[in-house]
């Protein structure tokens, strides 16, 4: 059975076509700058990548282009669209009502639309992608897999903010958490790698990418996570501030006469390591290079990043009354030995001991703590697309 996984962003569309017989990726790619000047597609199949500059005026056109790329003589891997048995969509926000992967119908689409208020940058393009597929493949089942769903198991004391309760009742203001598909995948893999049942483990998963979040996974379930009502809460990130005193925000708004929109832009797009390092870049490779060149604030931004990750690990070890394993994933977590070393140096009190040689690894699964370490530290490359494909298969098989 072949399953197409789609991840529609505001101006991009990422895709992977899986053969679920052996969970192999037959083709994958990305359409970028959809609706803008200079839109293009990068398509990879059988180890070859083809870049095509093409006018993709909207997501519907992009979906059509992708299907053609999957079917055409040169880059194709299927003959007919009917070979695609189902489409799995990454949807960012499921709110309180959509807390597990579901087959998409009119009711589900309405609920996704209702969550657009909570994720205005993400849910609308997700929905556009769903509608585009529906129009082109009306008889192919479609499944939605939500970034928020894994965190549905958080207890109320963890997800509520200490605000007047009516804001939760009236507007559903609460912690939802994101990156759930990634946390779920790496926590599951960690249990497999350790040869233990998820029920018997307390795991802290650190998804450290451009967006970054941490999750406390107890007995296989998310019991707390660092992102909140939006992805802005929690860790310091590439361009997001993460946690700070809300009064500081109000103060700056007054001082600089800023609107909520302008303020949101500063907190989401101009803060984090970008804001502190002051080199006009948020990519951690650039920041680490700037440190080597002696840019003081670049070093400071990384110290702040590491410190905050370590503090969250401590917080979640307390929340779970212990921790068996700490997992590092996503761009920084999988690739930066320097960040892992710095973060783990705060965690010796937990009995965590890093094996320097094993830590010198990039992008592949490895337990990089020493054999006698009380807490295991593991690198696990994330694979959200595979989770989406598996969930989709599971639902359409029923
Ligand atoms: P997202 O999906 O949120 O865009 P990724 O998980 O792809 O993020 O991670 C992107 C981040 O990973 C970037 O900040 C990038 O610099 C960082 N990264 C990738 N490779 C390395 C590396 N070798 N060393 C340090 N950081 C890295």
């Amino acid at each position: 059975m072949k399953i197409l996984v789609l991840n529609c962003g505001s101006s991009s569309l990422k895709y992977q076509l899986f053969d679920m017989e052996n969970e192999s990726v037959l083709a994958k790619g990305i359409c970028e700058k959809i609706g803008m000047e200079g839109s293009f597609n990068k398509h990879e199949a059988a180890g070859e990548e083809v870049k095509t500059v093409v006018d993709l005026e909207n997501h519907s056109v992009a979906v059509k282009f992708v299907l053609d790329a999957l079917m055409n003589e040169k880059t194709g891997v299927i003959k007919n669209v009917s070979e695609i048995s189902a489409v799995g969509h990454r949807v960012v926000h499921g709110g309180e009502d959509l807390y597990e992967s579901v087959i998409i119908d009119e009711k589900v689409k309405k609920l996704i639309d209702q969550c657009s208020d909570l994720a205005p940058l993400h849910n609308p393009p997700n929905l556009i992608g769903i509608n585009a597929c529906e129009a082109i493949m009306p008889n192919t089942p479609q499944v939605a897999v939500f970034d928020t769903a894994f965190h549905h198991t958080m207890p109320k004391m963890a997800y509520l903010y200490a605000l007047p309760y009516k804001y939760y009742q009236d507007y559903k203001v609460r912690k939802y958490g994101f990156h759930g598909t990634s946390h779920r995948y790496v926590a599951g893999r960690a249990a497999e790698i350790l040869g233990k049942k998820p029920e018997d483990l307390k795991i802290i998963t650190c998804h450290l990418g451009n967006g970054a979040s941490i999750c406390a996974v107890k007995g296989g379930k998310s019991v707390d996570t660092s992102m909140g009502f939006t992805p802005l809460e929690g860790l310091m990130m590439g361009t997001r501030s993460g946690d700070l005193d809300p009064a500081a925000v109000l103060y700056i708004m007054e001082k600089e006469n800023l609107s909520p929109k302008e303020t949101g832009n500063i907190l989401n797009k101009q803060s984090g390591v970008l804001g502190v390092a002051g080199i006009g870049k948020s990519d951690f490779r650039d920041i680490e290079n700037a440190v080597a060149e002696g840019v003081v604030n670049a070093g400071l931004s990384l110290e702040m990043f590491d410190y905050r990750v370590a503090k969250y690990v401590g917080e979640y070890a307390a929340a779970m009354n212990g921790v068996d394993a700490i997992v590092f994933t996503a761009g920084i977590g999988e690739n930066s030995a320097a960040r892992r070393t710095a973060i783990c140096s705060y965690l010796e009190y937990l009995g965590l001991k890093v094996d320097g040689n094993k830590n010198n690894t990039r992008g592949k699964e490895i337990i990089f703590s020493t054999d006698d370490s009380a807490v295991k530290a593991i690198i696990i490359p994330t694979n959200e697309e595979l989770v989406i494909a598996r969930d989709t298969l599971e639902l359409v098989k029923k």
Side-chain angles (χ1 to χ4, degrees), residues 209-211 282-285 288 330-332 335-336 362:
N210 191 29
S282 63
D283 190 301
F284 273 60
R285 285 164 291 201
E288 287 180 354
I332 300 154
N335 293 302
S336 177
R362 268 197 191 174

Side-chain angles (χ1 to χ4, degrees), residues 127-160:
L127 209 47
I128 290 171
I130 290 167
N131 284 328
C133 286
E134 234 179 46
I136 300 167
M137 301 182 273
N139 300 319
T140 309
Q142 302 196 60
V143 166
V145 178
F146 303 95
D147 253 29
T148 46
F150 183 58
H151 305 300
H152 177 68
T153 45
M154 285 189 289
K156 202 163 185 173
M157 68 172 179
Y159 72 67
L160 269 193

